[in-house]
């Protein structure tokens, strides 16, 4: 039973076929890697590797994807394009201040109570428009804040219980 069997005819052909298939698989893998490297712009000489220079935009996109910053980056882009999304009239009076990613709440501050009320009435359409720009479910609620007020001053000419200009601001 310790005898080695000599390969002949058909067995030699099978061994040769297996070796040829393995070589073809390796060549195909190399070709696929080269094609993928060309597609992603990774080239620096005879062979592509991870140390190759990459365009800045591609490097930033890869970093954003690796870190999971897609939603905050998209929201930041929307905050930069606020006038194009909401229109020049609203953008002149209302400014996005903060986006809470965990609760999907966009906080917007308006320069008057009238514009704050107007924006509260338009909140549904704005949420729909923002979700169209960012992807479904990115912004669920728009929290509208009225104008920021100065610190309350205390003095001898104040009525007790008065909140000053905050009595009428919403």
């Amino acid at each position: 039973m310790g005898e080695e069997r000599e390969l002949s005819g058909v067995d030699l052909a099978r061994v040769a076929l297996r070796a040829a298939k393995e070589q073809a698989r390796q060549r195909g893998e190399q070709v696929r890697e080269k094609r993928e490297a060309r597609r992603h712009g990774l080239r620096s000489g005879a062979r592509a590797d991870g140390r190759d220079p990459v365009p800045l935009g591609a490097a930033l996109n890869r970093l954003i994807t690796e870190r999971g910053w897609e939603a905050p980056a998209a929201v930041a882009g929307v905050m930069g394009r606020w006038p194009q999304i909401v229109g020049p009239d609203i953008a002149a009076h209302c400014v996005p201040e903060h986006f809470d990613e965990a609760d999907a709440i966009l906080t917007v501050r308006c320069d008057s109570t009238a514009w704050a009320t107007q924006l509260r009435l338009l909140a549904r359409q704005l949420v729909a428009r923002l979700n169209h720009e960012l992807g479904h479910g990115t912004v669920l609620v728009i929290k509208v804040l009225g104008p920021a007020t100065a610190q309350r001053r205390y003095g001898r000419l104040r009525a007790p219980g008065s909140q000053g200009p905050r009595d009428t601001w919403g």
Side-chain angles (χ1 to χ4, degrees):
M1 288 233 171
E3 298 176 23
E4 275 191 39
R5 199 173 121 208
E6 282 213 24
L7 301 177
S8 65
V10 175
D11 294 328
L12 284 174
R14 286 184 184 145
V15 170
L17 179 62
R18 267 191 236 127
K21 283 183 176 180
E22 183 61 32
Q23 288 175 351
R25 186 176 302 121
Q26 289 175 352
R27 277 194 308 261
E29 190 173 313
Q30 290 172 350
V31 168
R32 185 186 56 76
E33 287 174 357
K34 284 183 183 178
R35 190 177 309 130
E36 189 173 315
R38 252 186 261 122
R39 185 178 312 138
H40 296 296
L42 298 174
R43 294 168 102 182
S44 71
R47 294 195 173 93
D49 63 8
R51 299 173 296 158
D52 291 340
V54 179
L56 182 62
L60 287 175
N61 286 338
R62 187 170 60 195
L63 178 69
I64 288 170
T65 303
E66 287 173 357
R67 302 282 171 107
W69 295 339
E70 290 93 357
V75 170
V78 166
M79 287 186 176
R81 294 181 299 136
W82 183 252
Q84 290 89 10
I85 294 172
V86 298
D89 293 334
I90 295 174
H93 299 282
C94 304
V95 178
E97 278 192 350
H98 177 71
F99 177 68
D100 182 13
E101 185 180 355
D103 298 326
I105 297 174
L106 178 66
T107 303
V108 178
R109 180 161 308 272
C110 298
D111 61 1
S112 71
T113 55
W115 275 103
T117 303
Q118 183 68 24
L119 198 65
R120 285 184 188 108
L121 294 173
L122 295 172
R124 275 191 155 178
Q125 289 94 2
L126 288 177
V127 167
R129 192 177 303 168
L130 288 168
N131 284 328
H132 176 73
E133 292 282 328
L134 299 172
H136 181 68
T138 305
V139 177
L140 297 177
V141 176
I142 294 181
K143 182 178 177 183
V144 180
L145 302 176
T149 60
Q151 289 289 343
R152 183 174 169 191
R153 290 187 238 145
Y154 296 95
R156 59 187 179 98
L157 298 178
R158 291 264 178 208
S162 169
Q163 294 183 0
R166 286 190 228 151
D167 280 342
T168 58
W169 285 11

